[in-house]
Amino acid sequence: MKGRSRMLEEYEVNPHTLMLKPIEYGAKTFTEIIEMEDVILSPFKPMDILKKSCEFFGSSYQGRKDGTKELTGISYKAPIMLNPQMSMFLFPTTSPVKQECIWISHSHVCSYAAAGSGQTSVTFQNRESHLVPISYSSFENQMLRTSNLRIAYSQRVSEMESKYSMKSFYLKNKTNA
């Protein structure tokens, strides 16, 4: 680990965020934010940070969740597209309504392996490994579902680009004729 974590009141998920992990802090649930080169403690729950981050990027959490359902049909333990231009796609390790839900940044996962007793060892791009309380098969499923979301989004963008670049091509040629 990177040593002591600092406390921050304001935080948005960003391209350096690896994981939002709930931790018990007295009688409250705080969030340990693991970044590429930092560990931050927030007095807010992971879901609160995620919701605020969705709003920061111009949507609501429910809107992002609805978008996932529209693109993939996934509604339970749905991954979300926080900011596709910055490759910020996160997925939950359990139902997001549960206090123990951890949110993981799909882009930063390098590898993962079963660690026994319903745990998975996740290695991130910064070469740090973390034990996450989720079975290997569930983790792999969440990785695949998030990949499917990324692909579905990319396909929609490509379809739109093709459709409208061809339309402008025809309009341009029609006016030049």
Side-chain angles (χ1 to χ4, degrees):
M1 198 49 59
K2 301 164 186 84
R4 294 186 53 151
S5 55
R6 57 193 169 100
M7 178 75 82
L8 273 183
E9 292 277 330
E10 296 286 320
Y11 185 83
E12 282 87 26
V13 173
N14 62 68
H16 297 278
T17 307
L18 306 177
M19 179 168 59
L20 301 175
K21 181 180 176 183
I23 59 167
E24 295 308 313
Y25 200 80
K28 288 191 74 181
T29 300
F30 280 22
T31 301
E32 183 178 49
I33 302 158
I34 311 294
E35 286 194 336
M36 288 291 284
E37 296 183 18
D38 204 1
V39 177
I40 300 162
L41 191 63
S42 169
F44 300 101
K45 296 174 184 171
M47 182 53 83
D48 295 335
I49 293 170
L50 196 63
K51 284 179 177 178
K52 187 174 179 291
S53 297
C54 287
E55 290 167 3
F56 180 82
F57 288 109
S59 184
S60 65
Y61 170 73
Q62 188 61 48
R64 293 294 186 202
K65 197 173 159 189
D66 291 346
T68 295
K69 186 172 183 183
E70 176 67 30
L71 287 169
T72 64
I74 298 168
S75 58
Y76 179 69
K77 289 183 9 181
I80 63 159
M81 181 171 45
L82 188 61
N83 184 323
Q85 293 79 15
M86 300 175 99
S87 290
M88 293 168 56
F89 293 78
L90 285 87
F91 64 87
T93 57
T94 182
S95 169
V97 298
K98 292 185 176 179
Q99 290 287 86
E100 64 269 20
C101 181
I102 297 170
W103 285 87
I104 295 178
S105 175
H106 185 262
S107 303
H108 289 294
V109 175
C110 280
S111 63
Y112 49 96
S117 65
Q119 294 195 91
T120 301
S121 176
V122 181
T123 303
F124 292 98
Q125 282 182 334
N126 64 357
R127 297 198 166 101
E128 276 191 16
S129 291
H130 293 269
L131 272 181
V132 181
I134 180 175
S135 71
Y136 176 84
S137 61
S138 290
F139 190 89
E140 185 168 54
N141 190 46
Q142 288 300 87
M143 286 290 290
L144 291 171
R145 289 159 47 114
T146 309
S147 292
N148 289 340
L149 173 61
R150 293 176 81 149
I151 290 166
Y153 174 76
S154 293
Q155 286 174 335
R156 285 274 174 99
V157 170
S158 293
E159 287 168 12
M160 189 65 67
E161 287 172 345
S162 293
K163 181 179 178 181
Y164 287 97
S165 66
M166 291 306 293
K167 187 176 183 180
S168 64
F169 172 77
Y170 288 124
L171 288 173
K172 185 178 178 182
N173 286 338
K174 190 176 181 181
T175 56
N176 289 340

